[in-house]
Amino acid sequence: MVNHMKELDNCGNSRIRILTYLMFFMFAMTSDAVGVIIPELINTFDLSMSQASAFHYMPMLFIALSGLFLGFLADKLGRKVTILIGLLLFALASFMFALGESFYYFLCLLALVGIAIGVFKTGALGLIGDISTNSKQHSSTMNTVEGFFGVGAMVGPAIVSYLLITGVSWKYLYFGAGAFCLILCWLAYKAEYPQLKRSSTQNINLASTFSMMKNPYALGYSLAIGLYVATEVAIYVWMPTLLLNYEGELALIATYALTIFFTLRALGRFLGGWILNQFSWQQVMFWFSLAISLCYLGAMVYGISAAVILLPLSGLFMSMMYPTLNSKGISCFPVDQHGSVAGVILFFTALSAALGPLLMGLVGDIFGHVKYGFYLATGFAFMLCILAAYNLFRDPSGHLLTADAK
């Protein structure tokens, strides 16, 4: 009887994992296609780089606000209800893209998309904690989840590129995402979710989320993730613009540079579980962040020809940074607070994803070329490397991560 119950639990957890993988895949299809859409927006609406970057930072800003102000819902209402609310809202916003042609109308819809993502993503991140037995398994699952995100990040830009080549509007990407989202809603509704176990009597509300903002571990991991995200989004938001007019010997690689970046990032994430079993996560974070920094530095020192190779290559080293840091930050807290802490970390994640490209766009406008924005991103990469070095030698959260996530 006990073995039969364990088999049912494992089957239910497998379905939950697949649902979570598909949610992140869908999210990535739209969010990481922005770099391909931005040049089209600049031409269509006669925008500057900083204006066009609003197409990226608008949803990220509202993901940040949603994570901060609504992240606690995953702990209070439960994972299932929270995920369903977020997915339905995402589907509604996606279908509404077909009803307008104004740039500002699109920005309003992207704000709604951001709110929806913030809601269902905190629910999904909390769910990963529910089905993980310890910190190592949590990190492994998170890397696989982000691997599916990486696949979606390849599919989204590829779809947009195909649509534009065939003369079809990029808006159909959102229509397809909306249809896919309705399928996910049905799967989420039918899925069996593990029961959330309470480890404390603390009230779960917005005040408890704000109290978590004072926690040094939540803030420390949020800072590290914020620096990483600012470094990563520089690639998929501005690299297509940086390489747009390149006509050298590596022109073919430049054409597919973003696809190469996403492919290497996805492959690295699927290998994440194995790599983390071979080496300590602190070592992996340091050496990978150092490699990212050197890729950026080499691209800036040796020019566009080097950037064609080094910037896409950085995706391989970026692969495990975000899921591992996110997992360790969440695993520092009891499982019944995972939704709230995920919301706090998501706030700083999305805020960095919004401000990083915006600042790069402003620097590019001031100095007359997007490459100057990449100098700023290089600084972010080295700051992340310094934090990773501190974590390697001091391991400030080690005592919290040795205990099981449950």
Side-chain angles (χ1 to χ4, degrees), residues 36-278:
V36 184
I37 296 174
I38 282 180
E40 185 73 12
L41 295 174
I42 291 175
N43 292 330
T44 302
F45 298 103
D46 192 25
L47 304 173
S48 67
M49 287 187 290
S50 55
Q51 288 173 324
S53 66
F55 209 78
H56 172 76
Y57 71 68
M58 181 62 75
M60 292 301 162
L61 177 61
F62 279 86
I63 289 174
L65 295 174
S66 179
L68 181 62
F69 290 100
L70 301 177
F72 72 94
L73 293 179
D75 297 328
K76 189 175 185 67
L77 301 181
R79 318 305 194 203
K80 183 173 187 175
V81 173
T82 306
I83 288 172
L84 284 172
I85 291 173
L87 289 177
L88 288 171
L89 193 59
F90 186 97
L92 174 64
S94 296
F95 288 131
M96 289 178 66
F97 270 87
L99 303 179
E101 293 293 338
S102 165
F103 178 69
Y104 293 103
Y105 172 77
F106 295 147
L107 290 184
C108 290
L109 289 183
L110 288 173
L112 189 59
V113 165
I115 294 172
I117 291 172
V119 171
F120 79 69
K121 188 174 181 180
T122 51
L125 291 174
L127 195 57
I128 293 173
D130 297 341
I131 60 177
S132 300
T133 56
N134 53 54
S135 175
K136 178 171 284 190
Q137 187 184 56
H138 193 282
S139 296
S140 178
T141 301
M142 193 74 79
N143 271 277
T144 305
V145 165
E146 292 294 339
F148 277 86
F149 183 96
V151 175
M154 292 186 288
V155 172
I159 291 174
V160 173
S161 297
Y162 177 77
L163 291 174
L164 295 178
I165 290 172
T166 56
V168 180
S169 173
W170 53 266
K171 294 191 297 181
Y172 281 90
L173 172 71
Y174 287 91
F175 186 85
F180 187 47
C181 194
L182 291 180
I183 297 174
L184 292 182
C185 286
W186 174 250
L187 294 176
Y189 176 74
K190 298 294 289 185
E192 293 289 337
Y193 291 72
Q195 184 176 1
L196 180 61
K197 298 178 181 179
R198 302 291 181 190
S199 62
S200 69
T201 58
Q202 180 181 358
N203 291 329
I204 300 173
N205 49 38
L206 186 58
S208 64
T209 300
F210 278 106
S211 66
M212 198 171 288
M213 294 279 283
K214 303 175 184 177
N215 186 287
Y217 300 102
L219 292 179
Y221 277 101
S222 295
L223 174 60
I225 290 172
L227 288 171
Y228 164 74
V229 168
T231 305
E232 182 198 60
V233 295
I235 300 289
Y236 67 79
V237 173
W238 289 120
M239 186 176 68
T241 305
L242 177 69
L243 305 181
L244 187 61
N245 297 318
Y246 175 77
E247 297 179 351
E249 296 178 353
L250 303 174
L252 183 62
I253 295 178
T255 301
Y256 295 99
L258 192 60
T259 301
I260 295 171
F261 170 79
F262 286 139
T263 301
L264 292 175
R265 193 182 65 171
L267 288 175
R269 284 176 175 172
F270 283 118
L271 292 172
W274 179 82
I275 294 176
L276 291 172
N277 282 329
Q278 306 303 312

Side-chain angles (χ1 to χ4, degrees), residues 382-399:
F382 275 96
M383 291 172 65
L384 174 62
C385 187
I386 292 171
L387 278 184
Y390 175 80
N391 183 63
L392 174 63
F393 293 109
R394 298 297 297 272
D395 193 19
S397 61
H399 64 289

